[in-house]
Amino acid sequence: STNYPDKLYSRLMVNIPTSLFKEEGYDHRQALFGMPPYRGSLATNLWYADSDLCAPNFDATQSYPNQGNKGFWTHPFILMVDAGNCTFVKKVRNAQQAGAAGVVIADNMCFCSDIACIATLNDPVCYTSVPTMRDDGSGADVSIPSFLMFKLDADVIKADVKADQPVQLKMEWALPTPDGDRVEYDLWMDPADDISNDFLLNFKDVAAKLGKSAHFTPRMYVYDGTRFHCMGSDGQNRCFNSCTNNGRYCATEGGNGISGADVVKESLRRICVWNQYGEADGIGLKWWAYVNEFTKRCNNADYFMNEACVKDVYKHAKIDVASIDRCMEDSGGL
């Protein structure tokens, strides 16, 4: 069976040239908007737009490979565009209007702990946590898929394209095989993300009505800090308050002073609530109750990590405190 890194059910490959082929594919992040063709793939030529694509009217002649500056791209194509100056949604929307079948955003920043990548920058600004391709709230009209590709990998591919060499990418997606007649669905979320939380509040009753005809699994955006050099060889946390467990588990910082470490802790708590009250039936009514109570009572910087507020949520959602504390401790603690 195909191996999809990080269990995100997507993969990014370079088919041509063979010198850039990686059997395991390239590390990336999938957009939280657009409509990927699940159980399908998109393999076609890559074009690089020498523009930030922040405006709908851009000069297509300023692109690579340069084929006589004809001002158009041969369809179908995947368009690579640099990150920066506007939201991911705006870039992908403009690429869609230009006829792209898919988009790869070439990141222009490095992780603060990635010394090799930092050496390529003139600007000292860097990531302390893994970026996500979030919807800016206007992405409902975007239908094509898109990935974010990390800087060092993107730089190598851009160099080939800008040297007028043909590059063919493959974007691939899969779905877990469902059991019987029920629908299985996963939802990736960030406890500090307002858009995710608004959806969870509105979806609670729908999840209950789906009942046994569906099997739900919540997924949390927590990443492996060792892969991004947040855990030093001396065991020290190099990404500071973005991570827990000496840099082992990390998350993107929330707004209003909510740290990545806070997000990791709440993510672990939600996983434990799910394991206790939702994993067996795939419905998890008490999990939904917990998430909704937390969002209403504790979802701000003052109360996000306030133990009294969390205990109040446990009480209203009828959650057994001891079993959740035990699960968090058994998972490695914080």
Side-chain angles (χ1 to χ4, degrees):
S1 60
T2 303
N3 177 37
Y4 292 87
D6 299 330
K7 299 182 180 178
L8 291 176
Y9 309 116
S10 65
R11 190 163 65 164
L12 177 60
M13 308 285 291
V14 175
N15 290 343
I16 299 173
T18 56
S19 59
L20 296 182
F21 176 80
K22 290 184 180 181
E23 186 173 353
E24 71 279 9
Y26 283 82
D27 200 2
H28 65 282
R29 290 297 178 268
Q30 183 171 316
L32 304 182
F33 55 89
M35 293 183 287
Y38 289 108
R39 288 204 183 101
S41 63
L42 172 64
T44 188
N45 292 331
L46 176 73
W47 290 81
Y48 169 61
D50 195 9
S51 161
D52 60 16
L53 232 64
C54 290
N57 300 317
F58 53 89
D59 186 358
T61 64
Q62 301 300 310
S63 60
Y64 300 92
N66 186 318
Q67 296 186 350
N69 288 328
K70 294 179 180 178
F72 62 88
W73 296 304
T74 305
H75 294 77
F77 63 91
I78 295 171
L79 190 62
M80 176 175 276
V81 58
D82 290 328
N85 299 329
C86 62
T87 66
F88 293 125
V89 171
K90 183 171 287 189
K91 291 176 184 290
V92 177
R93 179 186 293 115
N94 288 335
Q96 176 177 288
Q97 292 174 353
V103 175
V104 173
I105 304 290
D107 209 349
N108 56 0
M109 288 177 58
C110 304
F111 295 100
C112 297
S113 52
D114 189 342
I115 298 173
C117 187
I118 290 289
T120 68
L121 293 178
N122 295 320
D123 191 334
V125 177
C126 54
Y127 292 125
T128 57
S129 58
V130 172
T132 55
M133 288 188 69
R134 297 186 180 184
D135 192 335
D136 64 5
S138 70
D141 63 332
V142 176
S143 60
I144 63 173
S146 54
F147 291 160
L148 175 68
M149 192 176 202
F150 296 127
K151 185 179 186 302
L152 288 182
D153 289 335
D155 284 351
V156 173
I157 292 173
K158 280 196 296 185
D160 257 40
V161 177
K162 293 180 78 170
D164 288 331
Q165 299 300 312
V167 174
Q168 186 183 92
L169 296 189
K170 183 177 183 181
M171 304 168 76
E172 188 174 14
W173 299 265
L175 279 177
T177 304
D179 250 347
D181 294 329
R182 71 182 181 184
V183 173
E184 296 183 2
Y185 68 106
D186 296 3
L187 177 62
W188 288 87
M189 65 192 73
D190 176 342
D193 179 55
D194 290 337
I195 295 175
S196 295
N197 289 324
D198 287 344
F199 177 84
L200 292 169
L201 285 171
N202 293 324
F203 198 74
K204 175 188 173 186
D205 293 340
V206 176
K209 289 179 180 179
L210 288 172
K212 293 183 179 180
S213 62
H215 189 281
F216 169 59
T217 303
R219 307 284 188 185
M220 304 295 158
Y221 277 109
V222 174
Y223 63 91
D224 182 354
T226 60
R227 293 180 59 189
F228 298 97
H229 314 287
C230 288
M231 178 183 279
S233 57
D234 55 359
Q236 295 298 308
N237 180 359
R238 293 182 176 177
C239 294
F240 307 107
N241 65 351
S242 290
C243 307
T244 65
N245 302 79
N246 299 320
R248 178 68 175 82
Y249 303 107
C250 309
T252 301
E253 296 172 0
N256 302 318
I258 299 173
S259 72
D262 292 342
V263 173
V264 171
K265 185 172 183 179
E266 177 55 24
S267 296
L268 176 58
R269 185 180 286 117
R270 293 189 183 191
I271 291 169
C272 285
V273 172
W274 177 257
N275 290 345
Q276 183 72 19
Y277 295 104
E279 189 172 31
D281 65 5
I283 304 171
L285 294 181
K286 284 194 175 183
W287 182 89
W288 286 100
Y290 171 83
V291 170
N292 275 251
E293 292 292 341
F294 184 93
T295 301
K296 292 174 183 176
R297 299 172 187 275
C298 308
N299 193 36
N300 58 67
D302 292 332
Y303 292 101
F304 197 87
M305 281 293 106
N306 183 292
E307 291 299 326
C309 189
V310 173
K311 287 181 179 178
D312 192 42
V313 171
Y314 282 153
K315 178 181 175 181
H316 284 85
K318 297 180 173 56
I319 301 294
D320 178 58
V321 179
S323 65
I324 303 306
D325 287 347
R326 185 167 55 252
C327 169
M328 293 179 72
E329 187 62 32
D330 291 345
S331 299
L334 295 165

